[in-house]
Amino acid sequence: MELSAVLFDRDGTLIVDKHYLGDPEGVELIPGTGEALGALHSWGVKTFVVSNQSGIGRGYFPESGWHACEKRLGELLAPFGAAVDDERFCPHGPEEGCRCRKPDTGMWESLKTAHNLDASRCAMVGDKVEDLLFGANAGLAVAVLVLSGKGEKSAEKLGLDAEEVRRQGFLAVSCPLPGKTQSGTRLFAATNVRTAVEGLLAIALFPSEA
């Protein structure tokens, strides 16, 4: 697989999930995040954030809180030679029926148009079943579930063995996604964002071994 871009969920994947985070003081990198995004940058792979942020629509924090947190994320990534190239967020609740909330693909379509992205060269990394579905619905080449954040509960929902994931660090998985009968997206599970990126780069650099 030729890897040109990786899309990341934010809360629980790149940063510690603080639940409706709108205060930049609460932004805390999950260990390995800086190194992971720095590695992608060194290989010329673009990085994007796609995040459901219903706390905005629910009035828990203003949209400016999202932007302040993203600015802080950038500051924390900078010492690692890392950065987020662009981001999209959905401010709506699940009951609003929008097209931008994962697992729907509005955020992907927006990034695809803005950056001329090719789904066959992109991957999705997140800690929820919705993130895997988002990757599959968008037709991305790969979707990776990490065990950080809500990842262990998500693995349980999908019938995955979290202990085996921890032992191997990164492995291919086969599991039915809710509401998805067929998908060309390859599914993997990883301990955290760092092992996810290491696995993705290995697939990209040594495809015959994947």
Side-chain angles (χ1 to χ4, degrees), residues 21 25 88 93 108 118 122 125 128 139 142 153 156 165 177 188 197:
L21 179 63
E25 292 297 319
R88 295 291 187 273
W108 157 252
D118 178 354
C122 295
V125 179
K128 302 178 188 70
V142 172
K153 290 183 178 179
E156 183 178 350
V165 175
L177 296 177
F188 292 82
V197 166

Side-chain angles (χ1 to χ4, degrees), residues 153-176:
K153 290 183 178 179
S154 299
E156 183 178 350
K157 289 179 183 177
L158 294 171
L160 302 179
D161 186 344
E163 287 302 320
E164 182 64 20
V165 175
R166 273 189 283 268
R167 279 193 295 270
Q168 297 200 36
F170 181 85
L171 74 160
V173 297
S174 178
C175 57

Side-chain angles (χ1 to χ4, degrees), residues 24-199:
E25 292 297 319
V27 177
E28 178 184 352
L29 293 181
I30 290 174
T33 294
E35 293 89 344
L37 269 66
L40 290 173
H41 179 76
S42 70
W43 283 101
V45 179
K46 297 289 187 182
T47 55
F48 302 101
V49 166
V50 284
S51 182
N52 290 343
Q53 293 291 321
S54 65
I56 296 171
R58 299 174 196 267
Y60 296 154
F61 59 90
E63 185 174 322
S64 60
W66 158 265
H67 294 295
C69 288
E70 285 301 286
K71 180 181 178 182
R72 180 58 180 155
L73 174 59
E75 293 170 351
L76 293 175
L77 290 174
F80 298 93
V84 173
D85 290 287
D86 203 352
E87 37 82 9
R88 295 291 187 273
F89 68 95
C90 169
H92 309 109
E95 70 284 350
E96 294 184 62
C98 66
R99 287 210 64 248
C100 55
R101 183 176 174 84
K102 294 180 292 185
D104 215 332
T105 58
M107 289 188 281
W108 157 252
E109 297 296 339
S110 177
L111 286 171
K112 176 184 176 181
T113 300
H115 298 277
N116 194 29
L117 300 178
D118 178 354
S120 69
R121 300 172 62 202
C122 295
M124 175 65 198
V125 179
D127 67 321
K128 302 178 188 70
V129 176
E130 288 80 6
D131 294 315
L132 296 186
L133 275 168
F134 172 83
N137 289 338
L140 305 189
V142 172
V144 185
L145 178 74
V146 291
L147 296 183
S148 55
K150 296 181 173 63
E152 291 210 23
K153 290 183 178 179
S154 299
E156 183 178 350
K157 289 179 183 177
L158 294 171
L160 302 179
D161 186 344
E163 287 302 320
E164 182 64 20
V165 175
R166 273 189 283 268
R167 279 193 295 270
Q168 297 200 36
F170 181 85
L171 74 160
V173 297
S174 178
C175 57
L177 296 177
K180 199 79 179 172
T181 56
Q182 286 185 320
S183 172
T185 301
R186 297 172 65 190
L187 302 181
F188 292 82
T191 310
N192 50 41
V193 68
R194 186 171 187 171
T195 55
V197 166
E198 289 171 352

